[in-house]
Amino acid sequence: MTEETREVDEGKPPFFDSWSKMYALVMGVLAVLILLFYLFTEYYS
Amino acid sequence: MSTIDWIVLFGTLISIVAYGVWKTRGTKDMDGYLRGGSDVKWWAIGLSIMATQASAITFLSTPGQAYNDGMGFIQFYFGLPIAMILIAVFFLPIYYKLKVYTAYEYLETRFDMKTRMLAAFIFLIQRGLGAGITIYAPSIILSSLLDWDLRATNIVIGVLVIIYTVSGGTKAVTQTQKIQMGVMMGGMVLAGIFVITSLPGGVGFGDALQVAGKMDKLNVVDFEFDLKNRYSFWSGITGAVFLFMSYFGTDQSQVQRYLSGKSLSEGRLGLMMNGLLKVPMQFIILFIGAMVFVFYQYNQPPVFFNDTVKQQVYETEYADDFRALESEYELVFENKLEAVNELTAAVDSENEIAIASARKELNQMQAQSDEIRDQAKDMIALAVPGAEINDKDYVFMSFVTNVLPIGIVGLLFAVIFSAAMSSTSSELNALGGTTTIDFYKRRIKQDGDDLHYLKSSKMFTLAWGILAIIIASTLSLFENLIQAVNLIGSLFYPTVLGIFVVAFFFKSIKSNAVFIAAVISQLLIILIHYLNTQGTAGVFTMGFLWYNALGCIMVVIFSFVIKIIRDK
């Protein structure tokens, strides 16, 4: 089977100069959410 | 429902279908039909990914889950942002580079045709069943609430979806999902506002949180490690990562969404949008369920939330006994209400001893209340053999129909129908596309022109739509619908993910090794699940979410073992 391929432009995400920083933002938001959920659980239990 | 509610419901649904058909009337080639013309913006991809995952089950089961068991289910989604990043880094560049229509095309490039066929076949089986459940789940509940025939409800949902999905393909799916997400989010935010404002005078939002927290409904995070615990922080960031990687990275109903982007960056941003918004979105839906629980601490709840089944009990010899249980339930509620008020007063006075005492008393009352509910369910099982005694999925919509004002009720029904339609349309779109690209075009007719394959895709999409309606009409209710979907995914996804993981990361492994490893792993996962249901799994006793990690790892290890044996 032959496959058609194309050059892929990696591009840059908005607001950041690399995708690594965008991924760090997503992981950071997740960490903050988990921390907030933990505090929420502790406060109201 | 009132006339206004019916107008809101059908006005919304018909508008969505008409918009989908009208907006995509010019779709005349395969790229437009299966990849949406490859010009979809990142935010539309993000909405489409979220709308595909958020089925009616999400809105029916999730609040009921919080009502019964608290908000711990949110932990299942902790693995989602991690999976989004892994897919954006490893999967997406390859799919875009190869310019594939389906994820499985890549497997032929990397391995061979039979491995591609195996993965595509597993997808068709599990997603075909999934499409049936996606239609059936809301139908069973909506038919009960609207007093419609179950099969007629299946057909209404199925036909509405088939009209625009067959007509416009991926483009229609993406266009309609933008509106559907608006309806879903708008409806749920309104429901959240109404549930809080429906609390009695004198009970503020802070009091509601205190009551929910003291009754263990706001237990969001659990760090205890236990393999048998289905939803914990650990299962979320391990087992669920595998499930989400399989679902978003290898399930064509999702892959097709981000392959419609005009560039790799657009696809990646769509995934990141999902990674950022999904956990808060699930939190809101669960929180609404917890607030419905608080509402029913101040207002008498029914002993059983499925009114249709309850009416059937009234027509049996158990009617008097059942009514006696309802009276007992009301009595316990009156006493519990006093305990709730005591707790609220104790919290306001910030007296820790009084809070502990009131909390203990309230939870004892709640246990009594739960016991009567269990007795009622046992009685229903005797009175109406075969009736579903799990009413978790009816809690939210029972609240909606009995408490929310005219117009909003119709809107919330539109939310459920929209969610069912958005998921089903992606599934049918992907099933039709995979059948065309991976089987029909690859194995049956290789010399057709673009128009021929476009027509074939439409025919296969239609056929899968009809099959989904038939499957929906033959299903019986699982313990919990959302878990049923996750279970089916957990049985079949790990093998497919294992194949892709070997393809991406272990270049020395060739096709025969991974193919044999995948078949063995799939059979073993099914066996392990069977042994778990029988309680005889021994060291393999685990919640089904762990199958995702286990199955994927098995494929990798077996592939290496088979490679070593064959190399000797």
Side-chain angles (χ1 to χ4, degrees), chain B residues 1 14-15 24 91 223 257 297 325 338 340 345 388 423 472 482-483 493 501-502 507 522 551 558 568:
Chain B
M1 280 207 311
I14 291 167
S15 300
T24 57
F91 289 50
F223 286 110
R257 311 282 67 83
Q297 298 312 302
L325 269 182
E338 283 179 28
V340 173
E388 176 52 51
S423 300
I482 200 159
Q483 287 178 12
Y493 280 142
V501 166
V502 171
K507 299 290 182 191
Q522 184 62 70
F558 292 160
K568 277 187 178 176

Side-chain angles (χ1 to χ4, degrees), chain B residues 235-547:
Chain B
S235 68
I237 61 158
T238 53
V241 173
F242 285 87
L243 176 63
F244 287 127
M245 275 182 69
S246 315
Y247 175 55
F248 289 101
T250 74
D251 187 308
Q252 182 61 16
S253 67
Q254 281 293 356
V255 174
Q256 200 162 18
R257 311 282 67 83
Y258 51 75
L259 286 185
S260 62
K262 68 176 178 183
S263 69
L264 174 62
S265 295
E266 300 284 331
R268 276 180 169 164
L269 282 171
L271 286 174
M272 292 307 104
M273 179 176 161
N274 189 36
L276 286 168
L277 297 182
K278 185 68 188 183
V279 175
M281 178 183 142
Q282 289 300 126
F283 180 86
I284 290 169
I285 299 171
L286 280 164
F287 188 72
I288 289 170
M291 289 298 105
V292 170
F293 174 82
V294 175
F295 173 86
Y296 281 123
Q297 298 312 302
Y298 296 97
N299 299 275
Q300 175 71 57
V303 72
F304 191 69
F305 281 94
N306 185 343
D307 204 45
T308 306
V309 170
K310 218 164 61 177
Q311 295 305 322
Q312 290 172 353
V313 177
Y314 292 148
E315 290 167 12
T316 69
E317 57 184 302
Y318 292 91
D320 290 340
D321 290 341
F322 192 79
R323 286 202 170 92
L325 269 182
E326 287 187 301
S327 300
E328 198 182 337
Y329 191 64
E330 284 166 20
L331 197 64
V332 171
F333 169 78
E334 294 297 332
N335 294 331
K336 191 153 66 85
L337 181 58
E338 283 179 28
V340 173
N341 288 330
E342 277 175 27
L343 176 69
T344 312
V347 168
D348 288 343
S349 67
E350 297 181 5
N351 182 335
E352 290 298 328
I353 296 168
I355 291 171
S357 165
R359 180 182 188 175
K360 191 177 171 191
E361 192 187 341
L362 179 56
N363 281 321
Q364 279 172 353
M365 296 273 179
Q366 184 60 40
Q368 273 182 38
S369 181
D370 290 342
E371 199 180 312
I372 296 170
R373 242 167 82 74
D374 289 341
Q375 286 174 25
K377 288 176 184 178
D378 291 342
M379 196 175 285
I380 288 168
L382 290 171
V384 188
E388 176 52 51
I389 58 166
N390 178 10
D391 62 345
K392 207 184 273 186
D393 299 327
Y394 290 82
V395 171
F396 179 58
M397 289 311 284
S398 171
F399 166 80
V400 167
T401 48
N402 291 315
V403 179
L404 296 194
I406 289 171
I408 302 297
V409 176
L411 178 65
L412 264 297
F413 272 96
V415 167
I416 306 297
F417 273 100
S418 292
M421 288 161 64
S422 68
S423 300
T424 311
S425 63
S426 287
E427 289 170 336
L428 298 185
N429 185 214
L431 287 164
T434 303
T435 310
T436 307
I437 299 294
D438 294 302
F439 290 94
Y440 183 69
K441 188 178 178 187
R442 182 69 189 92
R443 296 299 306 267
I444 296 169
K445 187 170 174 62
Q446 296 179 329
D447 59 349
D449 59 17
D450 199 66
L451 186 63
H452 173 80
Y453 292 124
L454 176 66
K455 284 180 181 169
S456 305
S457 295
K458 290 189 176 189
M459 289 308 296
F460 286 127
T461 306
L462 175 65
W464 278 109
I466 293 167
L467 187 63
I469 294 172
I470 293 169
I471 291 170
S473 302
T474 54
L475 284 168
S476 62
L477 194 63
F478 284 78
E479 178 208 347
N480 179 292
L481 295 165
I482 200 159
Q483 287 178 12
V485 171
N486 287 336
L487 172 62
I488 289 174
S490 297
L491 285 177
F492 292 103
Y493 280 142
T495 307
V496 179
L497 179 63
I499 295 171
F500 275 87
V501 166
V502 171
F504 288 131
F505 302 112
F506 304 103
K507 299 290 182 191
S508 65
I509 294 175
K510 303 296 179 207
S511 59
N512 284 341
V514 77
F515 183 83
I516 296 165
V519 172
I520 293 170
S521 302
Q522 184 62 70
L523 294 174
L524 281 176
I525 286 291
I526 291 170
L527 177 67
I528 288 168
H529 176 63
Y530 173 74
L531 293 176
N532 268 284
T533 59
Q534 302 299 308
T536 55
V539 292
F540 291 104
T541 301
M542 61 182 77
F544 62 77
L545 275 179
W546 291 103
Y547 300 163

Side-chain angles (χ1 to χ4, degrees), chain B residues 54-73:
Chain B
S55 66
I57 299 164
T58 305
F59 297 97
L60 291 170
S61 278
T62 309
Q65 194 121 8
Y67 183 95
N68 274 14
D69 306 320
M71 295 178 65
F73 180 57

Side-chain angles (χ1 to χ4, degrees), chain B residues 76-325:
Chain B
F76 171 63
Y77 291 91
F78 287 172
L80 187 142
I82 301 168
M84 292 301 97
I85 293 171
L86 293 172
I87 293 164
V89 172
F90 297 109
F91 289 50
L92 232 64
I94 293 176
Y95 292 155
Y96 269 83
K97 188 179 175 190
L98 292 177
K99 214 180 168 188
V100 291
Y101 281 104
T102 75
Y104 318 112
E105 281 181 85
Y106 161 66
L107 294 178
E108 183 165 0
T109 312
R110 171 65 178 83
F111 296 121
D112 60 6
M113 190 173 67
K114 69 175 181 299
T115 310
R116 171 185 178 177
M117 294 294 153
L118 176 68
F121 181 68
I122 290 173
F123 165 73
L124 291 182
I125 289 181
Q126 65 102 354
R127 191 44 62 196
L129 281 171
I133 292 179
T134 313
I135 293 177
Y136 172 77
S139 290
I140 184 88
I141 293 148
L142 294 171
S143 63
S144 168
L145 292 165
L146 299 171
D147 203 19
W148 286 4
D149 177 68
L150 176 59
R151 285 190 182 162
T153 316
N154 285 331
I155 290 168
V156 167
I157 296 174
V159 169
L160 286 172
V161 174
I162 285 171
I163 290 170
Y164 67 85
T165 309
V166 171
S167 159
T170 300
K171 205 167 238 177
V173 172
T174 309
Q175 292 292 345
T176 49
Q177 281 174 335
K178 287 188 229 169
I179 304 176
Q180 285 159 341
M181 273 304 283
V183 171
M184 286 185 247
M185 289 298 96
M188 289 309 282
V189 168
L190 276 176
I193 292 168
F194 274 106
V195 67
I196 291 163
T197 55
S198 299
L199 292 169
V203 180
F205 184 52
D207 295 326
L209 285 170
Q210 289 291 351
V211 170
K214 299 290 180 285
M215 297 183 79
D216 298 327
K217 299 300 173 188
L218 302 184
N219 46 354
V220 187
V221 189
D222 174 9
F223 286 110
E224 192 183 336
F225 185 83
D226 181 0
L227 274 180
K228 290 174 200 158
N229 190 354
R230 197 174 283 167
Y231 303 121
S232 73
F233 171 80
W234 302 108
S235 68
I237 61 158
T238 53
V241 173
F242 285 87
L243 176 63
F244 287 127
M245 275 182 69
S246 315
Y247 175 55
F248 289 101
T250 74
D251 187 308
Q252 182 61 16
S253 67
Q254 281 293 356
V255 174
Q256 200 162 18
R257 311 282 67 83
Y258 51 75
L259 286 185
S260 62
K262 68 176 178 183
S263 69
L264 174 62
S265 295
E266 300 284 331
R268 276 180 169 164
L269 282 171
L271 286 174
M272 292 307 104
M273 179 176 161
N274 189 36
L276 286 168
L277 297 182
K278 185 68 188 183
V279 175
M281 178 183 142
Q282 289 300 126
F283 180 86
I284 290 169
I285 299 171
L286 280 164
F287 188 72
I288 289 170
M291 289 298 105
V292 170
F293 174 82
V294 175
F295 173 86
Y296 281 123
Q297 298 312 302
Y298 296 97
N299 299 275
Q300 175 71 57
V303 72
F304 191 69
F305 281 94
N306 185 343
D307 204 45
T308 306
V309 170
K310 218 164 61 177
Q311 295 305 322
Q312 290 172 353
V313 177
Y314 292 148
E315 290 167 12
T316 69
E317 57 184 302
Y318 292 91
D320 290 340
D321 290 341
F322 192 79
R323 286 202 170 92
L325 269 182

